[in-house]
Amino acid sequence: MRYLKYFAITLAVIVVDQAVKMLVHYQMDFGTAGQIKVLGDWFKLHYTTNPGMAFGMQLGSDYGKLILTSFRLIAMFGIGYYLYLLIQKKAHTGYIVCIAMILGGAIGNLIDSVFYGVWFGNAPYDAPSPWFHGQVIDMFYIDIWEGFIPDWVPLLGGSYTALWPIFNIADASIFVGVAIILIFQKRFFDEEGKRDAEQKSELVSGS
């Protein structure tokens, strides 16, 4: 039962993420034409796709997307196993919840990469196969600033872009999970260290 409640968080993230992406795909027009203003020009719903990693970056080869998707698949199993171990050793509840959220976000975007090229036909035109080449659907657009980034800026230089990327539920889940871990890392890991010390002390006293 203790495993189920944490993996249920992962499942909830996946379901909500995919449901929102389905609604956006079937109910919104792509790009600026279908854009919906929620809070003026600051927060908008904007249907777009991301063929690569965060901020639209891509691996520079014909099989870059396949490599990226394969890496996501391996990472998914790694995070899932790590979550299992955390639950087993009774790590801090908050930390386990954060890892469950990160796992849910990772799987949510992995589904897009593996299947959307086939389901929605959104793989790049030059993709060797629609499988494993699907593009991730993004929709939440926080438009803090738009402008041209100078050429000298690494990775993003020489392009006209927004300060804040367009993202989805999966991205938000990963971001929030990582942010909470960073903010509360002292509490999460100090308590885990104390618990390990207590367990070792009990083993020594009982021997």
Side-chain angles (χ1 to χ4, degrees):
M1 183 66 181
R2 62 177 178 172
Y3 293 97
L4 180 61
K5 68 179 180 180
Y6 292 114
F7 279 100
I9 295 172
T10 295
L11 180 60
V13 171
I14 297 169
V15 170
V16 173
D17 174 66
Q18 289 299 308
V20 171
K21 287 171 178 173
M22 295 288 181
L23 283 172
V24 167
H25 177 75
Y26 287 112
Q27 301 298 326
M28 289 184 65
D29 291 328
F30 190 86
T32 305
Q35 188 168 275
I36 300 173
K37 293 184 178 181
V38 179
L39 292 175
D41 289 325
W42 182 72
F43 177 49
K44 297 170 279 191
L45 296 180
H46 183 103
Y47 178 13
T48 188
T49 54
N50 176 4
M53 299 176 283
F55 305 104
M57 293 184 289
Q58 303 179 55
L59 296 178
S61 74
D62 293 340
Y63 293 95
K65 178 65 175 180
L66 180 60
I67 294 170
L68 176 60
T69 302
S70 300
F71 173 77
R72 283 174 170 166
L73 186 61
I74 295 170
M76 178 195 72
F77 283 107
I79 298 171
Y81 182 64
Y82 181 56
L83 177 60
Y84 170 81
L85 293 179
L86 288 175
I87 300 171
Q88 191 175 53
K89 63 188 294 190
K90 298 181 180 178
H92 190 286
T93 300
Y95 184 56
I96 299 176
V97 169
C98 288
I99 297 300
M101 291 172 61
I102 292 171
L103 177 61
I107 295 175
N109 282 336
L110 177 65
I111 291 173
D112 296 28
S113 296
V114 174
F115 299 108
Y116 279 15
V118 178
W119 293 351
F120 299 151
N122 73 357
Y125 72 93
D126 57 349
S129 167
W131 292 103
F132 285 82
H133 287 84
Q135 301 190 73
V136 175
I137 291 179
D138 294 327
M139 73 291 296
F140 299 118
Y141 187 7
I142 299 178
D143 190 3
I144 298 175
W145 175 85
E146 290 185 14
F148 184 81
I149 300 178
D151 292 334
W152 55 265
V153 177
L155 299 177
L156 300 178
S159 63
Y160 184 88
T161 188
L163 177 63
W164 194 267
I166 305 175
F167 59 97
N168 55 43
I169 295 291
D171 297 329
S173 182
I174 294 172
F175 177 82
V176 171
V178 172
I180 293 175
I181 290 173
L182 292 176
I183 293 170
F184 296 102
Q185 58 181 311
K186 184 175 177 60
R187 179 182 301 178
F188 291 165
F189 298 120
D190 279 1
E191 287 190 17
E192 184 175 348
K194 290 178 182 177
R195 185 163 46 250
D196 289 342
E198 290 174 357
Q199 291 176 351
K200 290 178 180 178
S201 178
E202 290 176 359
L203 289 174
V204 170
S205 60
S207 60

